[in-house]
């Protein structure tokens, strides 16, 4: 490079930018002076671009030895060098930079102080989230070189502002009045201010003493004012030039002069205006020198996308359209799963060419993770270069779960979530630890929630062990009892953190250090320390640095209540990412739009092209309306759409491009990206439809690759097990299920599938029913006959005392105690009065009595089992059967039509003399006691019968119906179908998901599908 070389160049999109840059620099500086290239300095937008350029020099030089130029990102200015060259006013750039976490905590402290007078209860986590938003505003103000005091010009009393904006401006006094003083006290400056000061110092240093070697600034659009100023300085150096990425020369001047902020070329147009350089003065980088060429269709494609994004109404020539569509694929997918499958297959297909490279470019991190997971099925490891959230990494997840378990005082859900984590071991071998966790899960914690604390948890363990002993399950009881010392050991390891959380407020640093120590203790196995297991992997270093930084940066933050610590920890961890350092595939990549800048691959897949994803939703500034930002001099949120459009346009001009989107995401219809819509308008309807038809072939390839068959409508399940597998014993409560949903009987008794109770569930119908039945059973044991002195009052007090006793153990769900304890008072009043009235004419015989009735059938004996809640005797010896219901009893229609056989079958067992403690006798009546609480307390509902049908007739009809049902299912050709009776659905069904009813049922009657 000698003489009057052009000051500004551009590299056309479509080709490898860094290869073209390296080739041009070698052509200009590689011959003659061997040290000319080494004396050069290259400024690039990102560290990734620096690595790529270093690799590009190796490619274009043919592998020969080179003394490479100095390459650095624009934001990484060497402070020491500025000191050595005695840069003018350099001292202003050397103030310490306030750390990101320190700044967030200081701002959060100011937010808490501001909110103390307005919030009923301070929320440190919410304050930290608001502090992160305030930090972004500070960065914007510093980047645009706007003094904080400018905010004062936006008066809260301005009549043009809505009232809530006035409140926001009052809140922003945190920045105008308080933040500068805190910065001064810290003796530091903000990161954006520090970066701008360094860039300005560099520009002044070069202007005062130009460097001896060439300076090339390449790939930047100058979106930051300080960067634009430095680029202008570089362009004016005697040996300096700026290389712009993909400057559009075809957009008409009239449109170019007034580009909106959302346009792809807006940043470059603004930069040229800042430099006072006409677009025509920018030369092609490879105009006079050999350089790696872009594909032949790159230029036409650049013209097409330029016309589409600029709103140029001129119709492109057919030749340009044809060339632009060569190598272009447009795939419309039903959902993200199919989109990920198409992308993964395309990436895998690129590997068939031994030299080809391929990359997915998308801002949709969920789509990126789906594609990476798909590729793992073929043992292809591709890492997302945009990084994964640090908060979701295994070690960080474990730390979050440890904090929540400590704050929840060993409550069931956080306890199991933490102990099931792969890092949890609590001093045992991992298998032994998992065996205990599974026992705790399956044998103890299923069902209603326990109260918090170790004492409540151990009480629940004791109750479960006693229950297993009553069921004559000694091995199960022993496994449950072994959980107690294990849980005590876990509580001891957790104690340093739980004691802090239960005590008085502590400083964040103390909590953070205890948090890390407790996590290590819980991660330890019998042969490996917790530190060795916890602090490993790619996330170990950033996570350990975060914990250390949190302890060091929290000085001055108000003491924290223990229960607030987990939420604050999560809020401060949000937004941090971890990038894998090893294991990347050499030819396949997943890039975010920022990481893809200046990158090149033979196959570029642009995924997630839906509005709101790419481009991203501009959203709303939480602090200022658009007029307020404009008045202050801040850029509108739409500017980042323009930057995203430039990234899209650059990638769109690659050799082979695949555009993908999903019609629905999360079940919600999507809108195609505005870029796709404008591209479709430019290409025309016929050409767009042709591209989509060709793209649909990828969906068929995915189906073939995964051996998929066309989707079939699921049929109603109707299994026909052999007679020897069919149940020969059912309870009276299961007969109703057998009538209207035989498939549930098949699942429970043939497949032997028993549903697990939910963990820490709110008390439901089953828990309420068990509570009432336990109370009534103990009541009848205490008063087996007659009416005691005091009558109803004695009965009432006894019922209340028994209810307190039943609800007393620590393992009982607190919700049941809190809700049904007071509600039972109304039930107790009703039961006490009803008992006095009833015992005047009836004699109690048995309560909660069980029995077995043998029924001979063609398939062999069938055993009917049952439990009668209550059996009373009339004076003439006839019996009355009572069933307690806390929910609604069966409808009268069901009772009359035989779909509520429980009471009549219990009556048949009573008449047969098979109920314990009940002699055979005729049943005179059957009734439901609806113990609902409330104003009425309870209600007696007699079993409904058709007119003229006596109780004896109803009992015989139920027994005859059962015999017919047994004979029907003793036939191997009778299926156990799901919901065979139209319009009849069970009130509760644990196997609905197994039957896949929503896939075949056309209505609630379940009358769809084929049997």
């Amino acid at each position: 490079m000698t003489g009057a070389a052009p000051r500004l160049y551009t590299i056309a999109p479509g080709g490898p930018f860094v290869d073209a840059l390296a080739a041009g620099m070698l052509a200009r500086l590689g011959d003659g002076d061997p040290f000319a290239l080494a004396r050069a300095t290259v400024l690039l937008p990102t560290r990734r671009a620096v690595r790529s350029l270093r690799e590009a020099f190796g490619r274009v030089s043919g592998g020969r030895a080179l003394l490479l130029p100095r390459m650095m990102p624009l934001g990484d200015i060497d402070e020491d060098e500025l000191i050595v060259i005695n840069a003018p006013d350099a001292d202003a750039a050397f103030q310490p930079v306030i750390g990101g976490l320190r700044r967030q905590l200081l701002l959060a402290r100011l937010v808490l102080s501001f909110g103390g007078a307005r919030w009923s209860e301070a929320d440190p986590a919410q304050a930290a989230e608001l502090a992160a938003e305030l930090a972004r505003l500070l960065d914007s103000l510093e980047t645009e070189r706007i003094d904080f005091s400018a905010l004062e010009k936006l008066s809260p009393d301005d009549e043009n502002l809505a009232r809530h904006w006035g409140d926001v401006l009052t809140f922003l006094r945190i920045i105008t009045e308080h933040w500068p003083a805190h910065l001064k006290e810290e003796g530091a400056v903000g990161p954006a201010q520090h970066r701008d000061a360094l860039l300005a110092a560099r520009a002044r240093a070069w202007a005062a003493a130009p460097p001896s070697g060439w300076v090339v600034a390449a790939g930047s659009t100058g979106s930051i004012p300080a960067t634009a100023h430095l680029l202008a300085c570089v362009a004016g150096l005697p040996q300096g030039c700026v290389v712009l990425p993909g400057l559009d020369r075809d957009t008409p001047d009239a449109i170019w002069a007034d580009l909106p902020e959302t346009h792809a070329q807006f940043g470059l147009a603004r930069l040229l205006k800042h430099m006072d350089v006409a677009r025509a003065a920018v030369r092609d980088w490879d105009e006079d020198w050999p350089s790696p060429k872009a594909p032949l269709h790159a230029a036409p494609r650049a013209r097409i996308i330029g016309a589409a994004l600029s709103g140029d109404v001129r119709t492109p020539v057919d030749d340009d359209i044809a060339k632009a569509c060569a190598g272009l694929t447009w795939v419309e997918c039903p959902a993200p799963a199919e989109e990920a499958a198409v992308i993964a297959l395309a990436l895998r297909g690129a590997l068939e060419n031994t030299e080809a490279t391929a990359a997915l470019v998308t801002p949709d991190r969920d789509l990126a993770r789906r594609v990476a997971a798909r590729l793992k099925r073929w043992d292809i490891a591709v890492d997302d270069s945009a990084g994964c959230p640090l908060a979701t990494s295994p070690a960080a997840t474990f730390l979050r779960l440890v904090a929540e378990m400590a704050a929840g005082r060993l409550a069931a859900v956080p306890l199991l979530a933490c102990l099931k984590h792969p890092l949890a071991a609590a001093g045992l071998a991992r298998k032994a630890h998992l065996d205990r966790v599974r026992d705790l899960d399956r044998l103890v914690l299923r069902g209603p929630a326990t109260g918090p604390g170790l004492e409540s948890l151990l009480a629940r363990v004791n109750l479960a062990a006693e229950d297993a002993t009553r069921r004559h399950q000694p091995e199960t009881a022993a496994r449950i009892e072994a959980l107690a010392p294990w849980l005590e050991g876990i509580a001891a390891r957790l104690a340093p953190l739980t004691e802090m959380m239960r005590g008085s407020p502590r400083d964040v640093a103390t909590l953070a250090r205890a948090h890390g120590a407790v996590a290590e203790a819980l991660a330890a196995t019998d042969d490996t320390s917790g530190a060795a297991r916890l602090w490993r992997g790619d996330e170990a270093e950033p996570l350990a640095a975060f914990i250390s930084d949190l302890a060091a940066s929290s000085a001055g933050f108000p003491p924290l209540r223990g229960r607030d610590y987990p939420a604050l920890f999560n809020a401060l961890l949000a937004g941090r990412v971890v990038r894998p350092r090893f294991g990347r595939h050499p030819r396949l990549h997943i890039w975010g739009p920022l990481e893809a800048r200046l990158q090149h691959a033979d196959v570029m897949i642009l995924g997630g092209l839906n509005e709101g994803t790419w481009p991203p939703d501009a959203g709303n500034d939480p602090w200022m309306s658009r007029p307020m930002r404009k008045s202050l001099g801040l850029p509108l949120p739409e500017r980042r759409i323009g930057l995203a459009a430039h990234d899209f346009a650059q990638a769109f001009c690659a050799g082979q491009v695949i555009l993908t989107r999903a019609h629905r995401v999360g079940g919600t219809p999507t809108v195609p990206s505005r870029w796709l819509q404008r591209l479709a308008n430019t290409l025309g309807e016929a050409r767009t439809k042709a591209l989509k038809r060709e793209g649909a072939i990828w969906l068929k390839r995915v189906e073939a690759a995964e051996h998929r068959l066309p989707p079939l409508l699921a049929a109603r399940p109707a299994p026909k097990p052999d007679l020897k597998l069919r149940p020969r014993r059912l309870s009276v409560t299961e007969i109703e299920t057998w009538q209207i949903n035989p498939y549930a009987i098949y699942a429970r008794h043939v497949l032997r599938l028993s549903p697990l109770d939910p963990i820490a569930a709110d008390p439901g119908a089953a828990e309420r029913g068990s509570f009432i039945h336990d109370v009534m059973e103990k009541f009848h044991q205490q008063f087996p006959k007659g009416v005691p002195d005091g009558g109803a009052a004695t009965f009432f007090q006894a019922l209340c005392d028994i209810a307190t006793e039943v609800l007393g153990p620590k393992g009982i769900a607190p919700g049941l105690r809190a809700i049904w304890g007071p509600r039972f008072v109304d039930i107790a009043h009703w039961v006490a009065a009803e008992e006095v009235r009833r015992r005047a004419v009836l004699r109690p015989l048995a309560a909660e009595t069980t029995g077995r009735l043998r029924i001979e059938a063609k398939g062999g004996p069938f055993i009917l089992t049952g439990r009668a809640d209550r059996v009373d005797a009339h004076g003439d010896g006839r019996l009355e059967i009572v069933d307690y219901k806390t929910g609604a009893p069966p409808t009268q229609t069901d009772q009359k039509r035989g779909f509520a056989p429980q009471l009549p079958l219990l009556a048949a067992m009573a008449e047969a003399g098979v109920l314990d403690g009940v002699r055979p006798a005729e049943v005179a009546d059957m009734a439901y006691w609806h113990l609902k609480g409330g104003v009425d307390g309870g209600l007696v509902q007699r079993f409904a019968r058709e007119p003229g049908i006596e109780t004896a007739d109803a009992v015989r009809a139920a027994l005859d119906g059962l015999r017919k049902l047994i004979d029907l299912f003793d036939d191997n050709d009778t299926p156990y179908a799901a919901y065979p009776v139209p319009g009849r659905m069970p009130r509760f069904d644990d196997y609905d998901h197994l039957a896949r009813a929503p896939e075949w049922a056309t209505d609630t009657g379940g009358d769809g599908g084929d049997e």
Side-chain angles (χ1 to χ4, degrees):
M1 278 184 178
T2 59
R7 309 295 296 280
L8 276 85
Y9 298 89
T10 184
I11 295 177
F17 184 96
V18 290
D19 287 38
L21 180 64
M25 292 192 67
L26 284 174
R28 291 163 168 84
L29 301 175
D31 297 330
D33 184 355
F35 298 102
L37 185 64
R39 285 195 298 270
T41 299
V42 185
L43 302 178
L44 294 159
T46 63
R47 291 186 177 91
R48 178 172 295 275
V50 170
R51 292 196 298 270
S52 297
L53 180 59
R54 187 179 299 116
E55 295 166 359
F57 273 113
R59 287 193 296 269
V60 300
S61 67
R64 74 175 189 268
L66 291 175
L67 293 175
L68 294 179
R70 182 185 182 194
M71 295 172 279
M72 62 176 139
L74 276 164
D76 286 0
I77 301 298
D78 191 337
E79 299 179 17
D80 295 335
E81 182 184 353
L82 293 177
I83 296 174
V84 170
I85 64 177
N86 194 24
D89 302 323
D91 290 344
F94 301 143
Q95 298 181 60
V97 184
I98 188 168
L101 189 56
R102 176 63 176 165
R103 179 173 66 163
Q104 187 175 1
L105 286 168
L106 285 175
L107 287 169
R109 187 175 74 181
L110 290 173
V111 170
L112 288 171
S113 300
F114 175 88
R118 293 166 173 79
W119 301 345
S120 58
E121 186 173 356
D123 186 342
Q126 185 183 32
E129 292 168 357
L130 287 172
E133 293 294 338
L134 282 173
R136 294 187 185 96
L137 177 60
L138 285 169
D139 286 339
S140 297
L141 292 171
E142 292 174 353
T143 295
E144 298 299 325
R145 301 175 176 178
I146 298 172
D147 192 86
F148 298 160
S149 61
L151 290 171
E152 298 175 358
K153 298 176 182 178
L154 300 174
S155 171
D157 300 324
D158 190 335
E159 61 182 11
N160 294 320
L161 298 179
R163 180 176 300 174
H164 74 279
W165 289 119
D167 294 337
V168 169
L169 290 176
T170 301
F171 182 81
L172 289 181
R173 288 175 182 168
I174 289 174
I175 292 178
T176 58
E177 297 180 7
H178 302 288
W179 182 242
H182 277 71
L183 274 181
K184 185 176 181 181
E185 182 180 341
E186 293 285 317
V189 295
Q193 183 181 359
H194 182 260
R195 176 204 61 209
D196 288 359
L198 286 176
L199 291 173
R202 166 60 73 185
R204 289 192 296 269
W206 278 343
S212 58
W214 276 91
V215 179
V216 179
S220 175
T221 60
S223 58
I224 297 173
T227 302
H229 180 68
L230 179 61
L231 294 179
C233 172
V234 170
L237 292 175
Q239 298 185 95
C241 65
V242 173
V243 184
L244 303 177
L247 179 67
D248 182 3
R249 301 179 182 278
D250 299 313
T251 299
D253 290 338
I255 296 177
W256 180 266
D258 192 27
L259 293 178
E261 291 194 356
T262 57
H263 193 276
Q265 294 286 311
F266 174 81
L268 292 176
R270 190 177 67 155
L271 178 62
L272 292 179
K273 185 177 181 180
H274 174 78
M275 292 183 175
D276 196 22
V277 175
R279 181 170 47 148
V282 180
R283 299 177 58 188
D284 289 329
W285 175 250
D286 56 355
E287 185 174 290
D288 303 320
W289 306 94
S291 177
K293 298 296 182 181
L296 293 176
H297 55 265
R301 195 176 289 170
R303 288 193 290 271
I304 291 295
I305 196 63
L309 298 186
S310 66
D312 188 351
V313 295
R314 295 178 303 168
T315 303
V317 298
D318 290 340
D319 186 53
D320 268 359
I321 292 180
K323 290 179 179 178
C325 290
L328 181 64
T329 305
W330 189 326
V331 187
E332 300 266 343
C333 303
E338 288 80 3
E339 184 180 9
V342 165
I343 295 171
L345 190 61
L347 291 172
R348 184 192 184 200
L351 295 180
E352 295 180 5
N353 183 336
T354 57
E355 296 182 357
T357 58
L360 164 64
V361 182
T362 179
D364 187 343
R365 304 274 55 86
D366 287 337
L367 177 62
R369 284 190 286 270
R370 285 176 181 267
V371 172
R374 285 267 178 178
L375 289 170
K376 283 183 180 179
R377 297 168 62 182
W378 295 309
D379 293 327
I380 300 173
V382 180
D383 298 319
D384 184 356
S385 67
C388 298
L390 179 59
T392 62
S393 65
T397 300
F398 182 63
L399 281 165
R400 292 164 54 205
L401 292 173
V402 167
E404 290 167 8
M405 179 172 66
R409 296 178 55 205
L410 301 178
V413 171
L415 173 68
L416 287 177
C418 183
L419 296 183
K420 288 183 178 182
H421 192 280
L423 286 174
L428 297 179
R430 177 66 181 161
K431 183 181 182 304
H433 171 80
L434 282 179
D435 288 342
R436 284 169 172 77
V437 174
R438 293 187 184 108
D439 286 344
L440 180 68
D441 180 357
R442 294 286 302 275
L443 305 177
V444 177
L445 293 181
R446 292 285 168 173
T450 64
L454 178 63
E455 183 182 357
S456 177
L457 187 60
L458 293 178
R460 184 69 172 260
V461 169
N462 292 334
L463 286 175
E466 292 171 2
D467 183 65
T469 301
R470 283 196 302 269
R471 295 172 182 269
H472 306 291
Q473 298 172 339
E475 292 183 3
T476 301
R479 286 161 54 195
I480 295 173
E481 290 169 355
L483 294 176
W486 172 68
L487 287 170
E488 290 172 350
I490 289 174
R493 291 172 183 265
L494 195 62
L497 189 57
T498 53
E499 290 174 1
M500 288 184 186
M501 288 186 169
R502 294 180 63 183
S504 58
R506 301 294 186 99
D507 61 273
V508 176
T510 301
L511 287 167
R513 285 190 285 267
H515 185 191
V518 165
E520 290 182 1
L522 289 171
T525 65
D526 57 340
D527 59 0
T528 307
S529 70
R533 297 188 72 235
L534 184 61
W535 309 114
R536 64 180 183 181
D538 292 323
E539 72 269 22
E541 184 176 343
L543 184 58
F546 170 77
I547 297 289
S548 177
D549 194 12
L550 178 59
S553 301
S554 59
F557 196 82
L560 198 67
R561 294 172 301 186
R563 67 174 183 268
D564 293 330
Y565 174 76
L568 178 64
F569 183 84
N570 294 342
L572 295 174
L573 192 61
R576 287 166 170 78
V577 298
V578 55
R579 291 180 173 86
R581 292 171 291 182
F582 307 104
R584 293 189 178 96
H585 195 283
R587 294 194 287 129
L588 298 185
H589 312 277
I590 297 178
W591 293 326
L594 177 63
E595 288 72 29
R597 291 178 184 174
L598 311 188
Q599 304 297 316
H600 174 80
D602 298 311
V603 179
M604 295 286 279
I605 304 173
L606 312 185
L609 285 167
N610 287 322
E611 197 67 16
T613 301
W614 203 11
D617 184 6
N620 294 310
D621 188 330
W623 306 116
M624 297 182 191
S625 64
R626 281 167 170 76
M628 293 166 66
R629 291 183 67 91
K630 186 174 182 180
S631 173
L632 199 60
L634 286 172
L636 297 180
E638 284 77 11
R639 181 177 294 182
R640 62 177 181 157
I641 294 180
L643 297 175
H646 185 267
D647 294 336
F648 172 78
Q650 290 285 101
F652 180 79
C653 296
Q656 183 178 348
V657 175
I658 301 176
L659 309 174
T660 70
R661 64 174 293 263
H663 288 158
R664 302 178 74 89
V665 175
T668 303
T670 60
V671 177
S673 167
R674 66 187 70 183
W675 304 325
L676 289 183
Q677 297 181 56
R678 293 173 182 173
L679 180 62
N681 291 337
T682 303
L683 295 178
E685 183 178 1
R687 183 69 69 175
T688 301
K689 286 184 176 179
L691 286 175
K692 290 182 179 180
R693 282 195 301 270
E694 294 171 5
I697 296 174
W698 279 101
L699 293 172
K700 295 180 180 179
R701 290 175 181 170
V702 167
E703 289 182 356
E706 298 188 355
H707 307 288
R708 285 186 176 176
L709 297 174
L712 298 175
L713 181 66
R716 183 204 309 269
K720 297 177 181 179
D722 189 82
L723 177 61
K724 63 183 179 181
L725 299 176
R726 300 189 177 209
R728 308 306 301 170
R729 174 191 177 111
L730 292 175
S731 68
V732 292
T733 57
E734 291 177 306
I735 302 304
E736 177 183 347
T737 303
W738 203 11
Q739 289 176 309
I740 62 177
N741 187 20
Y743 183 78
I745 299 299
Y746 166 80
R748 180 180 290 274
H749 293 281
V750 178
L751 299 182
R752 300 187 183 279
L753 299 177
S754 299
L756 288 174
D757 291 331
I759 299 171
D762 291 331
E767 288 73 32
R768 295 195 302 270
S770 296
F771 162 57
I772 293 295
H773 282 76
D774 288 348
V775 172
M776 295 303 294
E777 180 181 12
K778 292 179 181 296
F779 173 78
H780 279 277
Q781 291 172 356
Q782 185 173 345
F783 301 100
K785 58 183 179 179
V787 177
D789 295 338
T794 301
F795 279 152
F796 170 75
Q797 187 59 50
L799 286 165
C800 291
D801 292 343
I802 294 170
T804 301
E805 176 188 347
V806 171
L807 294 174
K810 293 285 184 181
I812 291 293
L816 188 63
R817 187 184 302 112
I819 297 173
W820 274 82
R823 192 170 185 178
F824 183 77
V825 174
D826 297 323
I827 296 175
H829 277 297
W830 183 88
V831 170
E834 181 66 17
E835 286 288 346
V836 172
R837 183 197 67 76
R838 190 177 184 83
R839 294 189 183 209
V841 293
L842 294 170
R843 176 170 52 89
L845 280 183
E848 301 297 329
T849 181
T850 60
R852 295 158 39 108
L853 178 63
R854 179 187 175 101
I855 300 175
E856 299 297 335
K858 64 181 182 181
F862 183 90
I863 305 299
L864 177 70
T865 65
R867 176 187 291 268
D869 293 344
R870 177 180 184 138
V871 181
D872 292 342
H874 288 266
D876 59 4
R878 294 184 302 165
L879 307 177
E880 182 169 328
I881 309 296
V882 174
D883 187 37
Y884 304 136
K885 295 290 185 186
T886 53
T891 65
Q892 291 193 5
T893 300
D894 284 351
Q895 294 175 41
K896 292 176 182 179
R897 294 179 58 188
F899 286 108
Q902 179 182 354
L903 269 181
L905 290 177
L906 285 171
M909 295 175 71
E911 291 184 345
V914 296
L915 290 179
D916 294 340
V918 180
R919 293 180 180 179
E922 178 186 351
V923 174
D925 205 355
M926 301 174 290
Y928 297 103
W929 278 19
H930 187 189
L931 304 178
K932 58 183 180 179
V935 177
D936 296 331
L939 181 68
V940 176
Q941 294 185 10
R942 302 293 174 186
F943 189 82
R945 302 183 297 274
E946 295 287 358
I949 301 297
E950 300 296 331
T951 299
D953 298 328
V955 172
R956 282 192 297 274
L959 197 55
D960 290 343
L962 175 59
R963 289 193 177 98
K964 293 178 181 178
L965 194 64
I966 295 170
D967 289 341
L968 177 66
F969 280 92
D970 278 349
D971 184 347
N972 277 332
D973 291 332
T974 301
Y976 283 79
Y979 318 138
V981 183
R984 184 72 56 180
M985 299 286 288
R987 287 178 291 175
F988 308 102
D989 185 7
D990 293 322
Y991 304 99
D992 178 80
H993 62 292
L994 191 63
R996 298 171 64 180
E999 298 181 37
W1000 51 261
T1002 57
D1003 57 28
T1004 56
D1007 199 23
D1010 296 326
E1011 296 183 19

